[in-house]
Amino acid sequence: MCVTCGCSDNGNTKITDLHKGEVETIHSHTLSDGTVITHSHSHEYHAKPASEIHAQQHGTTISLEKNILAKNNSIAAQNRRWLNHRGILALNLMSSPGAGKTTLLTRTINDLKQHLSISVIEGDQETFNDAKKIQETGCPVIQVNTGTGCHLDATMIQKGLQKLQPPNNSLVAIENVGNLVCPALFDLGENFKVTILSVTEGEDKPIKYPHIFRSSQVMIVTKIDLIPYLQFNLESCIEYARQINPQIKIFQLSAYTGNGLESWYNWIVKNATNKRSA
């Protein structure tokens, strides 16, 4: 359950392997004592037009906050052990909708895929649009559709990893649902939380949405090629981020022009190498 907006586990999550044409639907039910019962079934994937896609209905059960978060954290710890045992670096990419997560991710994959094996878990409420863009890079990708859910959770990542089976000593990029609130609450078992902030959103986002920047190890200021055309104060944005999280690492880049990407890539490769030797 998302304790911020009230969406609960009582609904369906669809995890789709576009390459194999398989869909696994996960049904979860929360009992009155806080116990969550989960079961799933698989079937073949057949693309549907957007007009036939319907969102799932979720209830509101705020009283189960501790039970849900405790369950999530337990599974996240399992995910972390699974990833660490295989020397896999996992990044949880978070942002508001339209900040440029998918654009940055596809550029990163294309530029690094000759040097590093990369797999992707793609999160959206509906559609396969972004997963198809990732697939065009040749990168293995699993689509997770959360319905009315506003974030990915550890169970979804566990299922995604089981389907992906990423190779040892590789990178798993998790593109979370576009949202600057709820994804910050849920540990997925990742090594780093990376929050992406577009210059089109305004420099005050770190102080308006402090929890996600406080919980992140990395902030990426993206679309910096647009700064000359906007009233965006880069220095203020960085200062606000440092106020919230003095330790946060900050990259400034443009996935369109390539400016600043080298530092981002060097950071990824360095941390992926550290995972292999750990």
Side-chain angles (χ1 to χ4, degrees), residues 40-57:
S40 62
H41 63 83
S42 300
H43 54 87
E44 292 185 358
Y45 158 64
H46 300 286
K48 293 183 179 181
S51 59
E52 296 183 24
I53 297 175
H54 303 277
Q56 294 88 349
Q57 297 299 313

Side-chain angles (χ1 to χ4, degrees), residues 96-271:
S96 60
K101 291 192 303 298
T102 307
T103 300
L104 175 59
L105 186 52
T106 53
R107 177 73 186 259
T108 300
I109 293 167
N110 282 324
D111 289 348
L112 289 184
K113 62 185 178 183
Q114 301 301 321
H115 311 283
L116 180 64
S117 178
I118 304 173
S119 305
V120 174
I121 298 176
E122 179 65 44
D124 277 306
Q125 288 191 320
E126 295 291 354
T127 81
F128 305 100
N129 295 348
D130 289 346
K132 289 178 179 177
K133 293 176 183 177
I134 300 298
Q135 191 177 41
E136 289 173 359
T137 69
C139 172
V141 58
I142 293 293
Q143 176 72 57
V144 179
N145 289 128
T146 61
T148 55
C150 56
H151 57 85
L152 298 176
D153 64 29
T155 298
M156 299 173 191
I157 300 307
Q158 186 177 65
K159 293 284 187 179
L161 291 172
Q162 290 171 358
K163 288 184 175 296
L164 273 177
Q165 289 298 310
N168 293 354
N169 305 320
S170 65
L171 167 66
V172 171
I174 303 165
E175 184 174 348
N176 218 312
V177 179
N179 186 340
L180 282 179
V181 181
C182 307
L185 299 173
F186 285 80
D187 183 8
L188 306 180
E190 73 279 354
N191 299 110
F192 296 97
K193 286 182 169 67
V194 179
T195 296
I196 299 168
L197 188 159
S198 165
V199 299
T200 59
E201 300 174 70
E203 66 271 5
D204 60 349
K205 284 296 178 290
I207 54 175
K208 293 181 73 173
Y209 299 91
H211 186 69
I212 196 165
F213 291 93
R214 187 177 296 117
S215 66
S216 295
Q217 292 78 38
V218 177
M219 179 179 83
I220 296 177
V221 182
T222 190
K223 303 184 184 180
I224 60 170
D225 54 299
L226 298 179
I227 288 180
Y229 311 102
L230 302 169
Q231 293 181 341
F232 180 87
N233 191 317
L234 181 59
E235 291 183 359
S236 293
C237 180
I238 293 173
E239 181 181 348
Y240 290 146
R242 298 276 188 220
Q243 288 177 14
I244 297 301
N245 183 353
Q247 305 303 318
I248 197 166
K249 186 170 183 60
I250 299 174
F251 295 99
Q252 306 167 39
L253 55 82
S254 167
Y256 178 71
T257 66
N259 187 18
L261 286 176
E262 184 176 358
S263 295
W264 164 239
Y265 294 163
N266 288 341
W267 181 86
I268 290 174
V269 172
K270 176 183 176 181
N271 282 281

Side-chain angles (χ1 to χ4, degrees), residues 1-4 61-71:
M1 179 180 74
C2 173
V3 298
T4 299
T61 326
I62 300 300
S63 62
L64 298 179
E65 170 183 344
K66 292 183 179 179
N67 305 71
I68 300 301
L69 289 178
K71 173 180 180 286

Side-chain angles (χ1 to χ4, degrees), residues 1-55:
M1 179 180 74
C2 173
V3 298
T4 299
C5 72
C7 70
S8 77
D9 284 290
N10 294 322
N12 300 328
T13 297
K14 295 181 180 179
I15 301 179
T16 306
D17 186 330
L18 276 70
H19 179 69
K20 295 181 179 178
E22 297 175 350
V23 180
E24 180 175 2
T25 303
I26 304 172
H27 307 279
S28 297
H29 311 277
T30 305
L31 305 182
S32 59
D33 63 355
T35 302
V36 179
I37 299 176
T38 303
H39 60 93
S40 62
H41 63 83
S42 300
H43 54 87
E44 292 185 358
Y45 158 64
H46 300 286
K48 293 183 179 181
S51 59
E52 296 183 24
I53 297 175
H54 303 277

